[in-house]
Amino acid sequence: MSEQTLTETAAPAPGHALKYTRNNPFHATVLVNDLLTGAGSEKETRHIELSLDDGMQYTPGDAVGIIPENRRDAVDEVLAALKYTGSERVLDHYKVEIDLEEALRTRLAIGKLTRGSVTQFGKLAPGHAGLKDLVGPDNKARAEEYCWGREFVDLATDFPGVVTQPQQLFNVLSRLTPRMYSIASSQALHADNVQTTVRVVRYESHGRERQGLASGHMGDRAPVGATFPIFLHANAAFRLPEDSTTPVIMIGPGTGIAPFRAFLEERQATGQTGDNWLIFGEQRRALDFLYQDQFEAMHRDGLLARLDTAFSRDQAKKIYVQDRIAENAAELYAWLERGAYFYVCGDASRMAKDVELALLDAIAQGSNGTLEHANEYLAEMKKAKRYQRDVY
Ligand SMILES: Cc1cc2nc3c(=O)[nH]c(=O)nc-3n(C[C@H](O)[C@H](O)[C@H](O)COP(=O)(O)OP(=O)(O)OC[C@H]3O[C@@H](n4cnc5c(N)ncnc54)[C@H](O)[C@@H]3O)c2cc1C
C-alpha cells in the first residue's frame, strides 16, 4: 500500500473499521484537549480525547498510534537552510511525485538528528573538512555528541551547500514514524472515543526552541475540532487479569498513569471486584497530580483499596514510587501472596529498574528469603503473567 495513504486516503465507510491500520489510518477528531498540569509545573501534560469510527475497538492496555506531521515553521527553517523554495519535485518512498515541502512535512524525520543521517550527509561531500570529523567508526563518540539536542536543520545550517539535489534528502533522513500513546480510557465507559495522557516534549538546545514531533503537535496544533490520523495498536502483553477477583498493584508515575486509568475505569464499569492499589508519582502534588479528582473519588468509593502518591519535589528529600514500595513492603508482599498482579508503566530509563529492585527487596523481606529467592519468585510471576511492564 502506498505511503500516500498515510495522509491522503479517504477514510473507509463506517463498518469497515477493522481496515484502519498505520498505513490506512482513521482521521480522528479532537474532542477534548485539556491541560492536566497546573500553571508553574515543569511538565506540560495533556488529556486528549479522540473520536473513533463505528466498530473501532480497544482493550485497556492497548495504545493509540498517532501519525504526526512536522511543523510548518520547522519545515520552513529546513527549506531556508537548504536554499530551496519547497516547490521542487521529489519522489517519495513509493515513487510518488510530490513537492519537497510536503515531503519534509509528512514523509521525512527532520527532528532529532541521528548518527546515520550525519553519515549519509557526509557521503554527499566526502572531502568536506568539518564533516570528515563526524563520520566513520573512529568518530562515533564525536558524532553522538554532535547529534545530542540537534535536529537536521542544525546540520544543514552548519554545513551549507552539501545537499545539491532535493531527492538526496531521502537517503539522508529516515521516515517519519508514528508515535504510540497508552490508552487512558475504557471503552466500556466511552464507547465512541479513545483517551490519552500526553506529556508535551519542549526544550531549548543549541540556541533553538524545540518540541517533540507528535507531542508538540498535540500541544500546539490539535485544538478541539482538529483532525489527525490515528490507528489502534493492541498490546496483549499488558492486560488485566482474566479473573476479575484478582487483586492488582499498579505503579504509574507521570504519564505511566494512563493505562491504569483505563484499567480502573474498566473494573468500575464492568463491576470487577478484585482489589486495586495504585501508586502514582510526579514532581508536585499541587501542580502534577494527574486525574486527582477521579482517583480520589475512586478511593473514597472503595474501587481503589489503596492510593499512594510520591511527589518528589514537595519536600527536601526526594521521594519516588519505589520509596513507597519500600515503605509498604510487607503489605505489598501480602498482596502478592494473595495472587496480585503487579504492573509498571512509564519511564524505562530509570524508574522501571528502580521499581524492580524495590519489588525484589519487598519479596525478599516478605519471604524472609535471599535476593536469589526473590529473583526466582519474580521469574515465576513473569511466567504466570503476573508481572507486566509497559515502559518506554
Ligand atoms: C508503548 C508506548 C506507550 C507510550 N505511551 C505514552 C503516553 O501514554 N504518554 C506519553 O506522553 N508518551 C508515551 N509514549 C512516548 C511517545 O510515544 C513519544 O515517544 C513521546 O511523546 C515523544 O514523542 P515526540 O514525537 O513528541 O518527540 P520526538 O520528536 O520523538 O522527540 C523526543 C526526543 O527529543 C529529544 N529530547 C527531549 N528532551 C530533550 C532535551 N531536554 N534535550 C535534548 N534533547 C531532548 C530526545 O532525543 C527525545 O528522544 C509511549 C511510547 C510507547 C512506545
Side-chain angles (χ1 to χ4, degrees):
M1 181 163 296
S2 152
E3 188 165 281
Q4 204 176 12
T5 56
L6 287 185
T7 52
E8 291 171 9
T9 302
H16 291 82
L18 285 180
K19 290 191 181 156
Y20 294 126
T21 61
R22 71 172 59 203
N23 288 327
N24 182 26
F26 173 63
H27 288 254
T29 301
V30 179
L31 305 173
V32 173
N33 185 342
D34 285 345
L35 188 60
L36 292 172
T37 39
S41 170
E42 285 171 38
K43 310 275 180 80
E44 176 184 339
T45 306
R46 311 194 75 91
H47 173 73
I48 293 179
E49 302 187 7
L50 301 167
S51 69
L52 292 178
D53 200 6
D54 287 348
M56 287 177 85
Q57 285 185 340
Y58 61 86
T59 302
D62 289 348
V64 55
I66 289 183
I67 297 171
E69 285 192 0
N70 285 306
R71 280 183 290 152
R72 276 177 199 273
D73 50 352
V75 170
D76 288 346
E77 282 181 353
V78 170
L79 287 171
L82 295 171
K83 302 203 174 1
Y84 290 131
T85 65
S87 59
E88 297 78 4
R89 301 293 280 171
V90 289
L91 296 178
D92 77 0
H93 301 97
Y94 295 93
K95 307 293 173 220
V96 176
E97 197 178 290
I98 55 174
D99 278 356
L100 177 60
E101 186 277 336
E102 187 183 351
L104 290 171
R105 189 165 41 80
T106 67
R107 307 290 203 272
L108 297 169
I110 59 172
K112 58 180 178 175
L113 195 58
T114 62
R115 206 159 52 77
S117 282
V118 175
T119 302
Q120 292 304 322
F121 190 81
K123 284 185 185 164
L124 299 177
H128 195 297
L131 266 175
K132 256 207 279 202
D133 290 343
L134 293 177
V135 298
D138 296 342
N139 293 320
K140 266 188 187 170
R142 202 173 299 156
E144 290 294 353
E145 194 186 322
Y146 178 79
C147 289
W148 176 247
R150 286 193 168 86
E151 297 169 306
F152 177 66
V153 66
D154 301 284
L155 186 66
T157 306
D158 290 349
F159 304 102
V162 170
V163 174
T164 53
Q165 290 168 28
Q167 193 64 45
Q168 291 168 337
L169 293 169
F170 279 81
N171 288 334
V172 171
L173 297 169
S174 51
R175 277 185 194 203
L176 207 58
T177 49
R179 303 291 195 266
M180 294 297 172
Y181 294 90
S182 307
I183 290 175
S185 52
S186 157
Q187 216 168 5
L189 281 187
H190 314 280
D192 55 4
N193 69 71
V194 63
Q195 307 182 3
T196 61
T197 315
V198 176
R199 175 166 178 228
V200 181
V201 174
R202 296 187 198 275
Y203 57 98
E204 198 251 295
S205 65
H206 304 289
R208 280 178 206 269
E209 294 295 326
R210 325 263 178 176
Q211 57 173 250
L213 173 60
S215 64
H217 190 140
M218 284 182 278
D220 291 348
R221 288 166 287 137
V224 170
T227 61
F228 54 80
I230 67 161
F231 58 93
L232 298 174
H233 178 78
N235 180 6
F238 203 75
R239 288 284 184 257
L240 275 166
E242 276 176 25
D243 180 345
S244 62
T245 65
T246 301
V248 301
I249 302 167
M250 297 163 280
I251 315 296
T255 55
I257 195 66
F260 303 134
R261 182 175 181 267
F263 278 11
L264 288 163
E265 284 194 353
E266 178 86 359
R267 284 197 137 184
Q268 189 167 40
T270 57
Q272 299 189 31
T273 55
D275 284 339
N276 300 300
W277 181 353
L278 178 65
I279 305 184
F280 172 71
E282 251 298 354
Q283 290 188 342
R284 294 179 180 85
R285 172 181 290 272
L287 304 177
D288 304 312
F289 195 162
L290 310 180
Y291 306 109
Q292 176 174 10
D293 291 349
Q294 188 176 7
F295 290 132
E296 287 184 343
M298 286 174 170
H299 191 212
R300 271 196 309 277
D301 297 346
L303 179 75
L304 270 173
R306 284 201 66 151
L307 171 61
D308 288 282
T309 52
F311 292 102
S312 58
R313 309 278 171 96
D314 275 354
Q315 58 288 305
K317 184 180 174 297
K318 293 206 172 136
I319 296 173
Y320 297 107
V321 286
Q322 58 271 23
D323 299 313
R324 295 296 182 224
I325 294 174
E327 285 164 18
N328 294 285
E331 186 170 353
L332 194 131
Y333 182 71
W335 278 55
L336 296 181
E337 284 291 278
R338 283 203 286 132
Y341 278 43
F342 188 93
Y343 299 90
V344 187
C345 181
D347 171 54
S349 64
R350 285 177 56 185
M351 182 277 294
K353 295 180 192 98
D354 291 342
V355 164
E356 183 163 304
L357 289 176
L359 174 62
L360 284 168
D361 228 38
I363 295 169
Q365 278 181 43
S367 62
N368 265 332
T370 58
L371 207 52
E372 196 186 348
H373 167 257
N375 271 306
E376 285 162 13
Y377 190 103
L378 196 60
E380 284 303 314
M381 281 181 63
K382 272 187 205 161
K383 232 200 263 167
K385 299 191 170 49
R386 288 178 49 218
Y387 178 43
Q388 300 184 21
R389 304 200 309 174
D390 186 13
V391 296
Y392 46 85

